Amino acid sequence: MAIAVYPGSFDPFTYGHIDIATRAAKMFETVHIVVVHNPAKNPRLSTNQRVELIKEILANKPGNYVVSSLDSGLLVDYCKDLGADALVKGVRTNVDLDYELPMAQVNRDLSGIETIFIPADPTHGFVSSSLVKQVFDLGGDISKYVPSEVVKALSK
Ligand code: PNS
């Protein structure tokens, strides 16, 4: 039974993330979405809020998902405890690849776990959580980029 871990800050979870998660779920029996707590990123939504939102959003999507969070420690140790077969990451541009490649290499070096890169659908190629937050803060319409549950959570 193949298990993938799809980690990220997901602050917030966008249509781009949904696309990667659902495509990963076609290749893996179970996809664990892991919200990684990174206080340095000054998150907009709490870890718990993000976990609950992602659960709600994926509830009606095809695929088998488990949503959890990682507050400390190495991601690869979390993967080992789960018995995960691979990490999954979405890649939009070469900038993403420059950022992701060393992480994939160190994760493999530390644990042997491979990272599978899924190319972003061009529809979501420019959508990032930080842009979504910026557009939202400046009064723009983010409903094309994130599900309504996210718009609601950010509006609170
Ligand atoms: O969505 P992000 O913030 O780009 O995701 C980055 C993330 C959470 C995947 C990365 O920071 C991570 O894997 N953190 C876990 C801590 C860890 O294991 N670090 C060492 C190897 S990268």
Side-chain angles (χ1 to χ4, degrees):
M1 213 159 80
I3 298 174
V5 165
Y6 177 30
S9 300
F10 305 127
D11 184 48
F13 207 56
T14 67
Y15 282 127
H17 295 133
I18 296 173
D19 181 53
I20 299 298
T22 51
R23 287 163 64 193
K26 289 181 187 161
M27 295 184 276
F28 292 91
E29 204 80 37
T30 308
V31 177
H32 282 258
I33 320 274
V34 180
V35 176
V36 180
H37 177 65
N38 182 356
K41 279 205 163 178
N42 193 18
R44 188 67 55 95
L45 301 169
S46 73
T47 305
N48 249 5
Q49 271 179 306
R50 281 176 270 163
V51 167
E52 291 310 313
L53 271 173
I54 297 168
K55 280 184 188 168
E56 211 179 318
I57 290 163
L58 293 178
N60 59 1
K61 298 277 183 276
N64 189 27
Y65 307 98
V66 177
V67 188
S68 62
S69 63
L70 174 67
D71 290 332
S72 62
L74 282 174
L75 181 65
V76 290
D77 288 340
Y78 193 81
C79 290
K80 256 194 239 162
D81 291 346
L82 282 178
D85 299 287
L87 279 159
V88 162
K89 296 285 187 83
V91 177
R92 289 161 300 192
T93 63
N94 59 325
V95 177
D96 278 350
L97 199 58
D98 282 350
Y99 171 66
E100 294 292 349
L101 195 56
M103 289 203 276
Q105 287 166 325
V106 78
N107 283 333
R108 179 165 170 267
D109 193 48
L110 288 170
S111 66
I113 193 158
E114 298 283 6
T115 298
I116 311 289
F117 290 123
I118 300 183
D121 187 295
T123 324
H124 311 293
F126 63 92
V127 180
S128 69
S129 298
S130 48
L131 261 185
V132 164
K133 283 181 279 193
Q134 204 179 113
V135 172
F136 177 79
D137 285 345
L138 298 171
D141 179 11
I142 57 167
S143 62
K144 275 191 291 188
Y145 313 132
V146 295
S148 57
E149 293 91 335
V150 171
V151 181
K152 235 180 276 167
L154 286 174
S155 306
K156 273 182 193 160

